[in-house]
Amino acid sequence: MRRPGQQVIAVLTTLSFLFLMVHPILAADPEIDRMVRGPVGKDWVTNGGNLTNQRYSTLKQIDTTNVAQLKGAWMTRLKGSGAAGKYSFEASPLVKDGIMYVVTGNDDVFALNAKTGAIIWEYWSGIDQKISTACCGWVNRGLAMGEGLLFSGQLDANLVALNMKTGEAVWKTPLEKWESGYTITSAPLYYDGIVYSGIAGGEFGVRGRLTALDAKSGAILWRSYTLPGPGERGSETWPPGTDHSMRGGATIWNTPALDPDLGLVYFVTGNCGPDYDGSMREGDNLYCASMMALKAKTGEYVWHFQQVHHDIWDYDAASPVVLFDTVIDGKPRKGIAEAGRTGWVYILDRTDGKPLIGIDEKPVPQDPRQKTAKTQPIPRGDAVVPQCAELLPGYEKAGCIFETFWETPVLMQPSGVGGTNWSPMPYSPDTGYFYVPGTVRTSAFTRFGDKYVHGLRYTGGSQSAPIGSPMSGTFTAIDSTTNKIAWQHKTPYRIGGGGGSSVTAGGLVFRGEPDGNFLAIDAKSGKELWRFQTGFGADAPPVIYEVDGEQYVAIATGGNQLQGSAYGDAVWAFSLKGQLGPLWPPPPPATVAGPTGPIAASVDTVRIGAGNVEYSFGPSRIRIKAGTTVTFTNVGDLPHSATSMDRGKFDTGVLIKGGSKAITFAQPGNYFYICLPHPWQYGQVIVE
Ligand SMILES: [Cu+2]
């Protein structure tokens, strides 16, 4: 006879065996799992539409024949949340059962009636306004949902779960500390009981990782680091005996994709750190600027493909990966693609990470001081933006992509902001095209070295657009079977870090522009069929949904600092029965780099971030007499500097809110300066 204890063990063994057998069927949220595995229909329940990130909706009530009649169904202002100079509005709203959920740049979440726009509940994040480690604007790229909860990654590095019915916080898990340089900007991904989240901070000497949490409790299940510890796989690509890989960046600041059949989760990683100084980190520096696949349940490494070896250009892989199925040379293939900051689309086999169309390692310019990689992977096919810069007055050297630089500025295209930045790349199975937003801009790259200090910026150099240089964009359809351009629009403004888009079975690509226009384009031909002025920078990616038999297209319009577009707090929804007309156009973004506005005479104070224009010097252009002392004061919310473009002429150093520095200008001359943390922020001092 067995003793009671043995009996318990026997029962437990049987139970756990049964549990293991039954568990795969007992999904925590079978409805959401089913929706994100299948084509996108009336609801849009995850950031990229479904697990593929294709942003392709099967809805086709609005099509190429009737889209010209589209009008605003409603427009709702989100009570001023995120409507200020320091914010960008980059979130895709989610929609389920007639309710829309949207998160602003302040991590505040709103639930709206998706048919009327009426606010149902609101969650005010209360995040610390002193967060100083958001590299490039206060942003949140969106939410995930599952098990009756909404998941939001906050700039204070907390992942929060809200009750979908009430907006009340159910759990909050810190993934890291913002004071250590970590922030969350990406939309999480929910699937099969797990919430996946990346973490940002590549400009602050951090160690990138993907974190998986239990959706119900918020408990951390595992962390998979994108930078190897000593002796781990990939550590041979960092200098032996050093700890540079522990602060080497490779952050994840966009939503992963997931293939449930293969059991893999996919994402891309950001730049190496320090961004522009490779001198101390000889080697390829895995897994910076890479596409990666992990086992979705355990986080175990499966494959990687590095887009840029030993990155010294801030060539992040930043746009979300897209999964697609295709036929190449008569064979069905499982593809994965990503639009890089380099201007190329990288197309791989998602089972093993090998190129589908061909990517060749080719020799590139060398500089032993920067420890440049001998070769770089060059995809076959077309780039979507120019990859060579022209020489401009005042500069000694201009080059093409992967040109090297040291302490003398060198002009290059694409700039380190792209190409394609965080903006998603939709894919239509009808056309077989990827739709790729791009920024056309020159950067002057310089290296100046940096000492690592915990929680402070650690970039080792800078890149800024030369004064007077033109800035524009492209929107390109790339044929997924050839990686060649099917059609291309030249756009008046940069759209690689905005100008979000989505595509429908109605044959339409919807995309925003930073001047406030929202456009519908024939997905096959590229012909523009409709445009509508929303009144605010239209840079967030739109979504498509249906309520009570009526199809809607919605976009959050709140501007974007990377695009220089007008900020706001609006969400627009459009339908064929809509009645609302367009708004007055907001101020358009700059198309030439440099300070703007009138020249103020005899001014000896410059306020940084004044008048709710966070990324600004006020006045931006001043004329003074030789010997004048000018006081620069940071009155904005974020850390800023005033640093002469010819570095060494003058520099306030990074000033925190309230900080001040006086500089005496003894020598006559024309001095252009930038803010080092935000090198698109320009000023000018004319000394007579
Ligand atoms: Cu700044």
PDB file of all heavy atoms in Angstrom, residues 608 614-617 638-641 675-679 681, ligand 1:
ATOM      1  N   ILE A 608      16.469  78.520 -23.965  1.00  0.00           N
ATOM      2  CA  ILE A 608      16.360  77.254 -24.701  1.00  0.00           C
ATOM      3  C   ILE A 608      15.063  76.566 -24.294  1.00  0.00           C
ATOM      4  O   ILE A 608      14.792  76.402 -23.108  1.00  0.00           O
ATOM      5  CB  ILE A 608      17.566  76.332 -24.405  1.00  0.00           C
ATOM      6  CG1 ILE A 608      18.884  77.113 -24.539  1.00  0.00           C
ATOM      7  CG2 ILE A 608      17.546  75.124 -25.322  1.00  0.00           C
ATOM      8  CD1 ILE A 608      20.131  76.302 -24.208  1.00  0.00           C
ATOM      9  N   GLU A 614      10.027  73.090 -27.420  1.00  0.00           N
ATOM     10  CA  GLU A 614      11.091  72.448 -26.651  1.00  0.00           C
ATOM     11  C   GLU A 614      12.430  72.482 -27.393  1.00  0.00           C
ATOM     12  O   GLU A 614      13.458  72.802 -26.805  1.00  0.00           O
ATOM     13  CB  GLU A 614      10.692  70.999 -26.364  1.00  0.00           C
ATOM     14  CG  GLU A 614      11.654  70.254 -25.462  1.00  0.00           C
ATOM     15  CD  GLU A 614      11.663  70.766 -24.025  1.00  0.00           C
ATOM     16  OE1 GLU A 614      10.578  71.089 -23.502  1.00  0.00           O
ATOM     17  OE2 GLU A 614      12.755  70.843 -23.428  1.00  0.00           O
ATOM     18  N   TYR A 615      12.405  72.164 -28.661  1.00  0.00           N
ATOM     19  CA  TYR A 615      13.662  72.037 -29.400  1.00  0.00           C
ATOM     20  C   TYR A 615      13.983  73.351 -30.103  1.00  0.00           C
ATOM     21  O   TYR A 615      13.996  73.441 -31.322  1.00  0.00           O
ATOM     22  CB  TYR A 615      13.565  70.882 -30.402  1.00  0.00           C
ATOM     23  CG  TYR A 615      13.162  69.593 -29.733  1.00  0.00           C
ATOM     24  CD1 TYR A 615      11.829  69.183 -29.729  1.00  0.00           C
ATOM     25  CD2 TYR A 615      14.099  68.808 -29.074  1.00  0.00           C
ATOM     26  CE1 TYR A 615      11.456  68.016 -29.083  1.00  0.00           C
ATOM     27  CE2 TYR A 615      13.722  67.643 -28.430  1.00  0.00           C
ATOM     28  CZ  TYR A 615      12.404  67.253 -28.436  1.00  0.00           C
ATOM     29  OH  TYR A 615      12.032  66.106 -27.796  1.00  0.00           O
ATOM     30  N   SER A 616      14.206  74.400 -29.316  1.00  0.00           N
ATOM     31  CA  SER A 616      14.423  75.708 -29.934  1.00  0.00           C
ATOM     32  C   SER A 616      15.317  76.579 -29.076  1.00  0.00           C
ATOM     33  O   SER A 616      15.417  76.397 -27.856  1.00  0.00           O
ATOM     34  CB  SER A 616      13.079  76.424 -30.116  1.00  0.00           C
ATOM     35  OG  SER A 616      12.586  76.820 -28.853  1.00  0.00           O
ATOM     36  N   PHE A 617      15.983  77.517 -29.732  1.00  0.00           N
ATOM     37  CA  PHE A 617      16.691  78.597 -29.061  1.00  0.00           C
ATOM     38  C   PHE A 617      15.883  79.869 -29.303  1.00  0.00           C
ATOM     39  O   PHE A 617      15.443  80.120 -30.427  1.00  0.00           O
ATOM     40  CB  PHE A 617      18.097  78.755 -29.636  1.00  0.00           C
ATOM     41  CG  PHE A 617      18.959  77.534 -29.463  1.00  0.00           C
ATOM     42  CD1 PHE A 617      19.186  76.669 -30.530  1.00  0.00           C
ATOM     43  CD2 PHE A 617      19.539  77.236 -28.242  1.00  0.00           C
ATOM     44  CE1 PHE A 617      19.971  75.538 -30.380  1.00  0.00           C
ATOM     45  CE2 PHE A 617      20.329  76.107 -28.086  1.00  0.00           C
ATOM     46  CZ  PHE A 617      20.547  75.247 -29.155  1.00  0.00           C
ATOM     47  N   LEU A 638      13.649  69.363 -21.118  1.00  0.00           N
ATOM     48  CA  LEU A 638      14.670  68.347 -21.377  1.00  0.00           C
ATOM     49  C   LEU A 638      16.066  68.951 -21.266  1.00  0.00           C
ATOM     50  O   LEU A 638      16.218  70.161 -21.329  1.00  0.00           O
ATOM     51  CB  LEU A 638      14.476  67.785 -22.791  1.00  0.00           C
ATOM     52  CG  LEU A 638      13.071  67.342 -23.166  1.00  0.00           C
ATOM     53  CD1 LEU A 638      13.041  66.807 -24.589  1.00  0.00           C
ATOM     54  CD2 LEU A 638      12.601  66.259 -22.206  1.00  0.00           C
ATOM     55  N   PRO A 639      17.082  68.126 -21.109  1.00  0.00           N
ATOM     56  CA  PRO A 639      18.456  68.643 -21.136  1.00  0.00           C
ATOM     57  C   PRO A 639      18.812  69.137 -22.545  1.00  0.00           C
ATOM     58  O   PRO A 639      18.504  68.454 -23.524  1.00  0.00           O
ATOM     59  CB  PRO A 639      19.306  67.427 -20.772  1.00  0.00           C
ATOM     60  CG  PRO A 639      18.363  66.400 -20.253  1.00  0.00           C
ATOM     61  CD  PRO A 639      17.041  66.675 -20.885  1.00  0.00           C
ATOM     62  N   HIS A 640      19.411  70.316 -22.631  1.00  0.00           N
ATOM     63  CA  HIS A 640      19.838  70.883 -23.918  1.00  0.00           C
ATOM     64  C   HIS A 640      21.234  71.481 -23.775  1.00  0.00           C
ATOM     65  O   HIS A 640      21.685  71.750 -22.667  1.00  0.00           O
ATOM     66  CB  HIS A 640      18.907  72.016 -24.358  1.00  0.00           C
ATOM     67  CG  HIS A 640      17.493  71.608 -24.602  1.00  0.00           C
ATOM     68  ND1 HIS A 640      17.094  70.905 -25.712  1.00  0.00           N
ATOM     69  CD2 HIS A 640      16.372  71.822 -23.879  1.00  0.00           C
ATOM     70  CE1 HIS A 640      15.782  70.702 -25.652  1.00  0.00           C
ATOM     71  NE2 HIS A 640      15.319  71.238 -24.545  1.00  0.00           N
ATOM     72  N   SER A 641      21.856  71.745 -24.929  1.00  0.00           N
ATOM     73  CA  SER A 641      23.114  72.494 -24.928  1.00  0.00           C
ATOM     74  C   SER A 641      23.092  73.500 -26.062  1.00  0.00           C
ATOM     75  O   SER A 641      22.240  73.429 -26.947  1.00  0.00           O
ATOM     76  CB  SER A 641      24.307  71.546 -25.114  1.00  0.00           C
ATOM     77  OG  SER A 641      24.455  71.196 -26.481  1.00  0.00           O
ATOM     78  N   CYS A 675      22.105  72.090 -30.574  1.00  0.00           N
ATOM     79  CA  CYS A 675      21.991  71.421 -29.276  1.00  0.00           C
ATOM     80  C   CYS A 675      22.565  70.025 -29.481  1.00  0.00           C
ATOM     81  O   CYS A 675      22.098  69.291 -30.351  1.00  0.00           O
ATOM     82  CB  CYS A 675      20.525  71.367 -28.867  1.00  0.00           C
ATOM     83  SG  CYS A 675      20.216  70.242 -27.504  1.00  0.00           S
ATOM     84  N   LEU A 676      23.545  69.645 -28.702  1.00  0.00           N
ATOM     85  CA  LEU A 676      24.197  68.350 -28.922  1.00  0.00           C
ATOM     86  C   LEU A 676      23.230  67.163 -28.761  1.00  0.00           C
ATOM     87  O   LEU A 676      23.215  66.266 -29.596  1.00  0.00           O
ATOM     88  CB  LEU A 676      25.398  68.220 -27.984  1.00  0.00           C
ATOM     89  CG  LEU A 676      26.619  67.510 -28.572  1.00  0.00           C
ATOM     90  CD1 LEU A 676      26.994  67.993 -29.951  1.00  0.00           C
ATOM     91  CD2 LEU A 676      27.792  67.695 -27.625  1.00  0.00           C
ATOM     92  N   PRO A 677      22.417  67.149 -27.697  1.00  0.00           N
ATOM     93  CA  PRO A 677      21.457  66.039 -27.610  1.00  0.00           C
ATOM     94  C   PRO A 677      20.408  66.039 -28.729  1.00  0.00           C
ATOM     95  O   PRO A 677      19.832  65.000 -29.018  1.00  0.00           O
ATOM     96  CB  PRO A 677      20.769  66.257 -26.252  1.00  0.00           C
ATOM     97  CG  PRO A 677      21.710  67.079 -25.464  1.00  0.00           C
ATOM     98  CD  PRO A 677      22.410  67.953 -26.467  1.00  0.00           C
ATOM     99  N   HIS A 678      20.136  67.195 -29.335  1.00  0.00           N
ATOM    100  CA  HIS A 678      19.106  67.288 -30.382  1.00  0.00           C
ATOM    101  C   HIS A 678      19.690  68.054 -31.561  1.00  0.00           C
ATOM    102  O   HIS A 678      19.404  69.237 -31.737  1.00  0.00           O
ATOM    103  CB  HIS A 678      17.854  67.990 -29.845  1.00  0.00           C
ATOM    104  CG  HIS A 678      17.450  67.503 -28.492  1.00  0.00           C
ATOM    105  ND1 HIS A 678      17.521  68.269 -27.360  1.00  0.00           N
ATOM    106  CD2 HIS A 678      17.019  66.272 -28.095  1.00  0.00           C
ATOM    107  CE1 HIS A 678      17.140  67.551 -26.311  1.00  0.00           C
ATOM    108  NE2 HIS A 678      16.836  66.335 -26.731  1.00  0.00           N
ATOM    109  N   PRO A 679      20.514  67.407 -32.365  1.00  0.00           N
ATOM    110  CA  PRO A 679      21.320  68.132 -33.353  1.00  0.00           C
ATOM    111  C   PRO A 679      20.527  68.742 -34.519  1.00  0.00           C
ATOM    112  O   PRO A 679      21.133  69.306 -35.419  1.00  0.00           O
ATOM    113  CB  PRO A 679      22.318  67.078 -33.844  1.00  0.00           C
ATOM    114  CG  PRO A 679      21.755  65.768 -33.474  1.00  0.00           C
ATOM    115  CD  PRO A 679      20.824  65.972 -32.315  1.00  0.00           C
ATOM    116  N   GLN A 681      18.379  71.034 -33.723  1.00  0.00           N
ATOM    117  CA  GLN A 681      17.983  72.280 -33.049  1.00  0.00           C
ATOM    118  C   GLN A 681      19.102  73.297 -33.288  1.00  0.00           C
ATOM    119  O   GLN A 681      20.214  73.120 -32.808  1.00  0.00           O
ATOM    120  CB  GLN A 681      17.831  71.942 -31.559  1.00  0.00           C
ATOM    121  CG  GLN A 681      17.305  73.022 -30.681  1.00  0.00           C
ATOM    122  CD  GLN A 681      17.238  72.535 -29.225  1.00  0.00           C
ATOM    123  OE1 GLN A 681      17.057  71.350 -28.932  1.00  0.00           O
ATOM    124  NE2 GLN A 681      17.406  73.451 -28.293  1.00  0.00           N
TER     125      GLN A 681
HETATM  126 CU    CU B   1      18.087  70.181 -27.286  1.00  0.00          CU
END
